[in-house]
Amino acid sequence: MNDAAPAPTPAPAPRRARVRAPELIGKGGWLNTGGKELTLADLRGKCVVVDFWTFCCINCLHVLDELRDLEEKHRDTVVIIGVHSPKFVHEAEHQAVVDAVERYQVHHPVLDDPELATWKQYAVRAWPTLVVIDPEGYVVAQHAGEGHAHAIARLVEELEAEHEAKGTLRRGDGPYVAPEPVATDLRFPGKAVLLPSGNLLVSDSTRDQLVELEPDGESVVRRIGDGILNEPQGLALLPDGRVAVADTVNHTVRAYDPETGAFETLAGTGRQWWQGSPTSGPALDVALSSPWDVAWWGGKLWIAMAGVHQLWTYDPETGTVEAAAGTTNEGLVDGPAAEAWFAQPSGLAATEERLWIADSETSALRWIDPDLVVHTAVGTGLFDFGHRDGPADQALLQHPLGVTALPDGSVAVSDTYNHALRRYDPVSGEVSTLATDLREPSGAVLVGDDIVVVESARHRLTRLRLPDEAVRVEAVAHRTQRAATEVAGGTLRLDVVFQAPAGQKLDTRYGPSTRLLVSSTPPELLVAGEGAGTDLSRELEIDPAVGEGVLHISAMAASCDDDPENEYPACHVHQQDWGVPVKVTADGAARLPLVLAGMDEGRQ
């Protein structure tokens, strides 16, 4: 029984405050415009949705998919502008952004902002963030996280009507110019698996297919799955000879039979999992969220559920799925599987005693033992990364997407953003570099004495002889370049701003419709205020002696159509996780506002 008072319906926001949108600037320039430099003046007369994203972020990829329908339906009045705002050093490379725009089929202009200039001008705090600008160039709404497409669509309809009447709406084609297509056999492949026949099966992610290649790794035997798959990633052999496929954007796991060519859906409904949805049950009745890799271990199929920072399992004997590790909080916390935190797990490899995990957003290599306890071999948290060999507790990776078990008990890590293949030896506790000059390796598979690496951004498989000695590289270390928010020690008021979209209200039919979860790294940073609750505002107590750390804040709100005549109103979930680096200073802020949806009217 929940005896907490229902969260009150927020008062309607003041009618769209007149806040002039800052100019869009970025040192990397513009993509998908045919070489034209865009300004806000060029976009006057259009409803503009600015999407602050970075290509490592699974939530950003979800939002790209959410916006596609809006982009199509309002093509003559709406211009979506992607502002690429990097977290990792590799993401600040211009060619990497060019690749990502093609890889994820971004069909609108993108500003490459490697120095976060526009991010700072708009005071953005999280990936993804959406800002709506009206046809006269004023900011009218801001949304952080996922689940806001319906609210933005409603706002766009209001803006269209308002500015059509004022004569300030300009219809017609937008500034998007499609790039020239490039012909290659593979296009941003994701993972590979060795078939019993000796052929290789590769997930050709951007082309939504699987491709079977001859043992040379180049000659195409057949293409499979056209019209069935949507950006597939992980592959794993099942005991019955079929191949499990992580059908990532379809939020399903399928089985492919190489003998017959048939597909069967094993798990997932085709819809994305949201907070509050079931986490166990009949596999075809439970939603999944961006499954990125799969591995057979301990009599079950393990699923790296990148979209919710968890590992799930599929049991073929019972036909059920369940969440097996992780809490959905994003971070690096070891311990019993049900209490551990992950951050976008994207690669799996099974040995008899360990399930290895490439935990990409923490740049970590982790593993689960047979007692279902989670351990970290390499990695320290969300904001530390680099290319450093040596003792594992000092070594650094950069957003690894794959891990491969080697015959000697060590593992090879596809260290994606370092363009390298790394090795961790659990006996010596040392990390070394096996190969460099790979372009965004995302997975690898053993073939005899060789290792075949999926070079995703070179659109090919690359065969390497496993070297006897490691490659020597110059050590580098990085931290995310986001500036820490300066806060005062003592009481810090946290306000998550949420305004229900027009025509909707908070759904309180079954109790509070909002949720707020707060924790910190290190835990000592928070003297008070951690834990879960239903109020979107909370007083935190910051220990000034700790000095700095990260506040982990997860917020959710559910809103429904406000129509008393409709017995079954449409409802929508808005959610976002923030990792806010903070530094305690004498003149730091006493209030931390985070916009989930709406505009912050509580500035002090």
mmCIF file of all heavy atoms in Angstrom, residues 64-94:
data_model
loop_
_atom_site.group_PDB
_atom_site.id
_atom_site.type_symbol
_atom_site.label_atom_id
_atom_site.label_comp_id
_atom_site.label_asym_id
_atom_site.label_seq_id
_atom_site.Cartn_x
_atom_site.Cartn_y
_atom_site.Cartn_z
ATOM 1 N N LEU A 64 16.322 9.651 -31.671
ATOM 2 C CA LEU A 64 16.373 9.741 -33.140
ATOM 3 C C LEU A 64 15.221 8.960 -33.764
ATOM 4 O O LEU A 64 14.571 9.425 -34.716
ATOM 5 C CB LEU A 64 17.705 9.206 -33.662
ATOM 6 C CG LEU A 64 18.945 10.082 -33.493
ATOM 7 C CD1 LEU A 64 20.174 9.322 -33.956
ATOM 8 C CD2 LEU A 64 18.798 11.384 -34.261
ATOM 9 N N ASP A 65 14.957 7.769 -33.233
ATOM 10 C CA ASP A 65 13.855 6.959 -33.767
ATOM 11 C C ASP A 65 12.498 7.571 -33.426
ATOM 12 O O ASP A 65 11.573 7.549 -34.239
ATOM 13 C CB ASP A 65 13.948 5.528 -33.227
ATOM 14 C CG ASP A 65 15.134 4.768 -33.797
ATOM 15 O OD1 ASP A 65 15.505 5.039 -34.949
ATOM 16 O OD2 ASP A 65 15.694 3.915 -33.091
ATOM 17 N N GLU A 66 12.363 8.128 -32.215
ATOM 18 C CA GLU A 66 11.097 8.751 -31.826
ATOM 19 C C GLU A 66 10.737 9.926 -32.737
ATOM 20 O O GLU A 66 9.555 10.181 -33.004
ATOM 21 C CB GLU A 66 11.185 9.268 -30.380
ATOM 22 C CG GLU A 66 11.192 8.196 -29.314
ATOM 23 C CD GLU A 66 11.328 8.782 -27.913
ATOM 24 O OE1 GLU A 66 11.316 10.025 -27.777
ATOM 25 O OE2 GLU A 66 11.453 8.000 -26.957
ATOM 26 N N LEU A 67 11.755 10.660 -33.204
ATOM 27 C CA LEU A 67 11.502 11.874 -33.980
ATOM 28 C C LEU A 67 11.186 11.607 -35.446
ATOM 29 O O LEU A 67 10.748 12.518 -36.156
ATOM 30 C CB LEU A 67 12.724 12.798 -33.894
ATOM 31 C CG LEU A 67 13.019 13.425 -32.529
ATOM 32 C CD1 LEU A 67 14.315 14.218 -32.590
ATOM 33 C CD2 LEU A 67 11.871 14.317 -32.073
ATOM 34 N N ARG A 68 11.387 10.372 -35.908
ATOM 35 C CA ARG A 68 11.224 10.111 -37.342
ATOM 36 C C ARG A 68 9.789 10.375 -37.815
ATOM 37 O O ARG A 68 9.567 10.913 -38.903
ATOM 38 C CB ARG A 68 11.642 8.685 -37.679
ATOM 39 C CG ARG A 68 13.133 8.424 -37.438
ATOM 40 C CD ARG A 68 13.584 7.086 -38.001
ATOM 41 N NE ARG A 68 14.837 6.648 -37.410
ATOM 42 C CZ ARG A 68 16.043 7.094 -37.781
ATOM 43 N NH1 ARG A 68 16.129 8.004 -38.730
ATOM 44 N NH2 ARG A 68 17.137 6.638 -37.188
ATOM 45 N N ASP A 69 8.807 9.999 -37.016
ATOM 46 C CA ASP A 69 7.414 10.201 -37.413
ATOM 47 C C ASP A 69 7.086 11.691 -37.488
ATOM 48 O O ASP A 69 6.444 12.151 -38.436
ATOM 49 C CB ASP A 69 6.485 9.500 -36.420
ATOM 50 C CG ASP A 69 5.047 9.440 -36.907
ATOM 51 O OD1 ASP A 69 4.833 9.029 -38.060
ATOM 52 O OD2 ASP A 69 4.139 9.825 -36.138
ATOM 53 N N LEU A 70 7.530 12.461 -36.498
ATOM 54 C CA LEU A 70 7.327 13.915 -36.512
ATOM 55 C C LEU A 70 7.995 14.529 -37.733
ATOM 56 O O LEU A 70 7.415 15.384 -38.426
ATOM 57 C CB LEU A 70 7.913 14.518 -35.234
ATOM 58 C CG LEU A 70 7.920 16.035 -35.122
ATOM 59 C CD1 LEU A 70 6.505 16.542 -34.850
ATOM 60 C CD2 LEU A 70 8.864 16.505 -34.014
ATOM 61 N N GLU A 71 9.190 14.072 -38.018
ATOM 62 C CA GLU A 71 9.960 14.580 -39.149
ATOM 63 C C GLU A 71 9.229 14.357 -40.468
ATOM 64 O O GLU A 71 9.218 15.212 -41.356
ATOM 65 C CB GLU A 71 11.314 13.869 -39.158
ATOM 66 C CG GLU A 71 12.391 14.495 -39.968
ATOM 67 C CD GLU A 71 13.752 13.892 -39.647
ATOM 68 O OE1 GLU A 71 13.818 12.718 -39.220
ATOM 69 O OE2 GLU A 71 14.755 14.599 -39.827
ATOM 70 N N GLU A 72 8.567 13.207 -40.597
ATOM 71 C CA GLU A 72 7.859 12.877 -41.835
ATOM 72 C C GLU A 72 6.527 13.610 -41.935
ATOM 73 O O GLU A 72 6.200 14.188 -42.973
ATOM 74 C CB GLU A 72 7.639 11.365 -41.900
ATOM 75 C CG GLU A 72 6.966 10.895 -43.184
ATOM 76 C CD GLU A 72 7.761 11.252 -44.429
ATOM 77 O OE1 GLU A 72 9.004 11.241 -44.376
ATOM 78 O OE2 GLU A 72 7.120 11.574 -45.454
ATOM 79 N N LYS A 73 5.758 13.618 -40.851
ATOM 80 C CA LYS A 73 4.407 14.195 -40.893
ATOM 81 C C LYS A 73 4.411 15.711 -41.060
ATOM 82 O O LYS A 73 3.471 16.276 -41.619
ATOM 83 C CB LYS A 73 3.643 13.817 -39.623
ATOM 84 C CG LYS A 73 3.170 12.379 -39.591
ATOM 85 C CD LYS A 73 2.317 12.113 -38.366
ATOM 86 C CE LYS A 73 1.773 10.678 -38.373
ATOM 87 N NZ LYS A 73 0.978 10.382 -37.150
ATOM 88 N N HIS A 74 5.445 16.371 -40.546
ATOM 89 C CA HIS A 74 5.480 17.841 -40.580
ATOM 90 C C HIS A 74 6.679 18.322 -41.403
ATOM 91 O O HIS A 74 7.300 19.327 -41.084
ATOM 92 C CB HIS A 74 5.543 18.394 -39.161
ATOM 93 C CG HIS A 74 4.353 18.044 -38.318
ATOM 94 N ND1 HIS A 74 3.231 18.831 -38.238
ATOM 95 C CD2 HIS A 74 4.108 16.967 -37.528
ATOM 96 C CE1 HIS A 74 2.346 18.270 -37.415
ATOM 97 N NE2 HIS A 74 2.861 17.131 -36.981
ATOM 98 N N ARG A 75 6.949 17.609 -42.487
ATOM 99 C CA ARG A 75 8.144 17.889 -43.275
ATOM 100 C C ARG A 75 8.170 19.308 -43.830
ATOM 101 O O ARG A 75 9.247 19.894 -44.001
ATOM 102 C CB ARG A 75 8.249 16.867 -44.415
ATOM 103 C CG ARG A 75 9.514 16.973 -45.232
ATOM 104 C CD ARG A 75 9.703 15.757 -46.111
ATOM 105 N NE ARG A 75 9.930 14.546 -45.320
ATOM 106 C CZ ARG A 75 11.091 14.235 -44.766
ATOM 107 N NH1 ARG A 75 12.126 15.042 -44.896
ATOM 108 N NH2 ARG A 75 11.227 13.127 -44.081
ATOM 109 N N ASP A 76 7.011 19.904 -44.112
ATOM 110 C CA ASP A 76 7.005 21.235 -44.732
ATOM 111 C C ASP A 76 7.002 22.372 -43.713
ATOM 112 O O ASP A 76 7.092 23.538 -44.088
ATOM 113 C CB ASP A 76 5.811 21.388 -45.679
ATOM 114 C CG ASP A 76 4.485 21.374 -44.952
ATOM 115 O OD1 ASP A 76 4.412 20.791 -43.858
ATOM 116 O OD2 ASP A 76 3.511 21.957 -45.481
ATOM 117 N N THR A 77 6.887 22.070 -42.417
ATOM 118 C CA THR A 77 6.869 23.132 -41.408
ATOM 119 C C THR A 77 7.922 22.958 -40.324
ATOM 120 O O THR A 77 8.252 23.915 -39.632
ATOM 121 C CB THR A 77 5.488 23.208 -40.715
ATOM 122 O OG1 THR A 77 5.213 21.941 -40.088
ATOM 123 C CG2 THR A 77 4.387 23.541 -41.706
ATOM 124 N N VAL A 78 8.436 21.749 -40.134
ATOM 125 C CA VAL A 78 9.363 21.458 -39.038
ATOM 126 C C VAL A 78 10.749 21.155 -39.597
ATOM 127 O O VAL A 78 10.889 20.408 -40.572
ATOM 128 C CB VAL A 78 8.863 20.261 -38.199
ATOM 129 C CG1 VAL A 78 9.927 19.817 -37.193
ATOM 130 C CG2 VAL A 78 7.574 20.617 -37.478
ATOM 131 N N VAL A 79 11.758 21.729 -38.969
ATOM 132 C CA VAL A 79 13.149 21.390 -39.264
ATOM 133 C C VAL A 79 13.774 20.864 -37.982
ATOM 134 O O VAL A 79 13.797 21.564 -36.963
ATOM 135 C CB VAL A 79 13.939 22.608 -39.775
ATOM 136 C CG1 VAL A 79 15.418 22.239 -39.946
ATOM 137 C CG2 VAL A 79 13.370 23.109 -41.091
ATOM 138 N N ILE A 80 14.243 19.634 -38.016
ATOM 139 C CA ILE A 80 14.991 19.077 -36.891
ATOM 140 C C ILE A 80 16.475 19.324 -37.152
ATOM 141 O O ILE A 80 16.983 19.060 -38.246
ATOM 142 C CB ILE A 80 14.703 17.577 -36.721
ATOM 143 C CG1 ILE A 80 13.225 17.380 -36.357
ATOM 144 C CG2 ILE A 80 15.606 16.968 -35.645
ATOM 145 C CD1 ILE A 80 12.795 15.943 -36.271
ATOM 146 N N ILE A 81 17.129 19.872 -36.157
ATOM 147 C CA ILE A 81 18.564 20.135 -36.233
ATOM 148 C C ILE A 81 19.248 19.301 -35.150
ATOM 149 O O ILE A 81 18.979 19.470 -33.956
ATOM 150 C CB ILE A 81 18.892 21.627 -35.998
ATOM 151 C CG1 ILE A 81 18.215 22.507 -37.063
ATOM 152 C CG2 ILE A 81 20.398 21.845 -35.976
ATOM 153 C CD1 ILE A 81 18.781 22.360 -38.449
ATOM 154 N N GLY A 82 20.114 18.397 -35.545
ATOM 155 C CA GLY A 82 20.907 17.670 -34.574
ATOM 156 C C GLY A 82 22.149 18.467 -34.218
ATOM 157 O O GLY A 82 22.870 18.925 -35.108
ATOM 158 N N VAL A 83 22.393 18.664 -32.932
ATOM 159 C CA VAL A 83 23.643 19.288 -32.485
ATOM 160 C C VAL A 83 24.459 18.198 -31.803
ATOM 161 O O VAL A 83 24.109 17.753 -30.705
ATOM 162 C CB VAL A 83 23.389 20.467 -31.531
ATOM 163 C CG1 VAL A 83 24.725 21.025 -31.026
ATOM 164 C CG2 VAL A 83 22.598 21.561 -32.231
ATOM 165 N N HIS A 84 25.496 17.749 -32.482
ATOM 166 C CA HIS A 84 26.289 16.651 -31.925
ATOM 167 C C HIS A 84 27.243 17.205 -30.882
ATOM 168 O O HIS A 84 28.137 18.001 -31.191
ATOM 169 C CB HIS A 84 27.059 15.900 -33.010
ATOM 170 C CG HIS A 84 27.692 14.661 -32.461
ATOM 171 N ND1 HIS A 84 28.978 14.652 -31.958
ATOM 172 C CD2 HIS A 84 27.195 13.406 -32.261
ATOM 173 C CE1 HIS A 84 29.253 13.440 -31.502
ATOM 174 N NE2 HIS A 84 28.195 12.669 -31.676
ATOM 175 N N SER A 85 27.051 16.757 -29.634
ATOM 176 C CA SER A 85 27.776 17.288 -28.475
ATOM 177 C C SER A 85 28.511 16.132 -27.813
ATOM 178 O O SER A 85 27.910 15.363 -27.068
ATOM 179 C CB SER A 85 26.779 17.918 -27.493
ATOM 180 O OG SER A 85 25.884 18.788 -28.170
ATOM 181 N N PRO A 86 29.819 15.972 -28.055
ATOM 182 C CA PRO A 86 30.511 14.728 -27.688
ATOM 183 C C PRO A 86 30.733 14.567 -26.193
ATOM 184 O O PRO A 86 30.960 15.524 -25.459
ATOM 185 C CB PRO A 86 31.853 14.853 -28.422
ATOM 186 C CG PRO A 86 32.072 16.322 -28.528
ATOM 187 C CD PRO A 86 30.709 16.919 -28.744
ATOM 188 N N LYS A 87 30.671 13.296 -25.763
ATOM 189 C CA LYS A 87 31.121 12.927 -24.416
ATOM 190 C C LYS A 87 32.570 12.442 -24.465
ATOM 191 O O LYS A 87 33.406 12.882 -23.691
ATOM 192 C CB LYS A 87 30.230 11.826 -23.836
ATOM 193 C CG LYS A 87 30.762 11.251 -22.524
ATOM 194 C CD LYS A 87 29.939 10.086 -21.986
ATOM 195 C CE LYS A 87 30.613 9.472 -20.762
ATOM 196 N NZ LYS A 87 29.852 8.332 -20.197
ATOM 197 N N PHE A 88 32.859 11.507 -25.377
ATOM 198 C CA PHE A 88 34.180 10.910 -25.472
ATOM 199 C C PHE A 88 35.063 11.673 -26.460
ATOM 200 O O PHE A 88 34.550 12.321 -27.387
ATOM 201 C CB PHE A 88 34.072 9.446 -25.909
ATOM 202 C CG PHE A 88 33.470 8.540 -24.871
ATOM 203 C CD1 PHE A 88 32.134 8.183 -24.926
ATOM 204 C CD2 PHE A 88 34.241 8.054 -23.821
ATOM 205 C CE1 PHE A 88 31.577 7.346 -23.966
ATOM 206 C CE2 PHE A 88 33.703 7.227 -22.862
ATOM 207 C CZ PHE A 88 32.357 6.871 -22.927
ATOM 208 N N VAL A 89 36.371 11.564 -26.288
ATOM 209 C CA VAL A 89 37.311 12.237 -27.181
ATOM 210 C C VAL A 89 37.089 11.801 -28.632
ATOM 211 O O VAL A 89 37.094 12.623 -29.551
ATOM 212 C CB VAL A 89 38.764 11.945 -26.732
ATOM 213 C CG1 VAL A 89 39.764 12.371 -27.808
ATOM 214 C CG2 VAL A 89 39.061 12.659 -25.423
ATOM 215 N N HIS A 90 36.885 10.513 -28.842
ATOM 216 C CA HIS A 90 36.678 10.023 -30.207
ATOM 217 C C HIS A 90 35.471 10.687 -30.868
ATOM 218 O O HIS A 90 35.476 10.954 -32.077
ATOM 219 C CB HIS A 90 36.495 8.508 -30.194
ATOM 220 C CG HIS A 90 36.029 7.949 -31.501
ATOM 221 N ND1 HIS A 90 36.725 8.097 -32.674
ATOM 222 C CD2 HIS A 90 34.894 7.243 -31.832
ATOM 223 C CE1 HIS A 90 36.077 7.507 -33.665
ATOM 224 N NE2 HIS A 90 34.960 6.990 -33.178
ATOM 225 N N GLU A 91 34.452 10.985 -30.084
ATOM 226 C CA GLU A 91 33.238 11.586 -30.651
ATOM 227 C C GLU A 91 33.448 13.029 -31.100
ATOM 228 O O GLU A 91 32.586 13.598 -31.779
ATOM 229 C CB GLU A 91 32.100 11.519 -29.635
ATOM 230 C CG GLU A 91 31.645 10.108 -29.344
ATOM 231 C CD GLU A 91 30.606 10.059 -28.250
ATOM 232 O OE1 GLU A 91 30.860 10.578 -27.147
ATOM 233 O OE2 GLU A 91 29.524 9.507 -28.504
ATOM 234 N N ALA A 92 34.570 13.630 -30.701
ATOM 235 C CA ALA A 92 34.893 14.976 -31.164
ATOM 236 C C ALA A 92 35.601 14.973 -32.518
ATOM 237 O O ALA A 92 35.833 16.035 -33.094
ATOM 238 C CB ALA A 92 35.751 15.695 -30.124
ATOM 239 N N GLU A 93 35.947 13.792 -33.026
ATOM 240 C CA GLU A 93 36.556 13.694 -34.358
ATOM 241 C C GLU A 93 35.478 13.872 -35.421
ATOM 242 O O GLU A 93 34.451 13.189 -35.396
ATOM 243 C CB GLU A 93 37.234 12.337 -34.533
ATOM 244 C CG GLU A 93 38.389 12.075 -33.582
ATOM 245 C CD GLU A 93 38.952 10.675 -33.756
ATOM 246 O OE1 GLU A 93 38.648 10.032 -34.791
ATOM 247 O OE2 GLU A 93 39.682 10.214 -32.864
ATOM 248 N N HIS A 94 35.732 14.746 -36.358
ATOM 249 C CA HIS A 94 34.701 15.071 -37.352
ATOM 250 C C HIS A 94 34.289 13.844 -38.169
ATOM 251 O O HIS A 94 33.095 13.621 -38.395
ATOM 252 C CB HIS A 94 35.206 16.179 -38.285
ATOM 253 C CG HIS A 94 34.192 16.594 -39.300
ATOM 254 N ND1 HIS A 94 33.036 17.282 -38.977
ATOM 255 C CD2 HIS A 94 34.134 16.386 -40.649
ATOM 256 C CE1 HIS A 94 32.321 17.499 -40.072
ATOM 257 N NE2 HIS A 94 32.966 16.969 -41.098
#
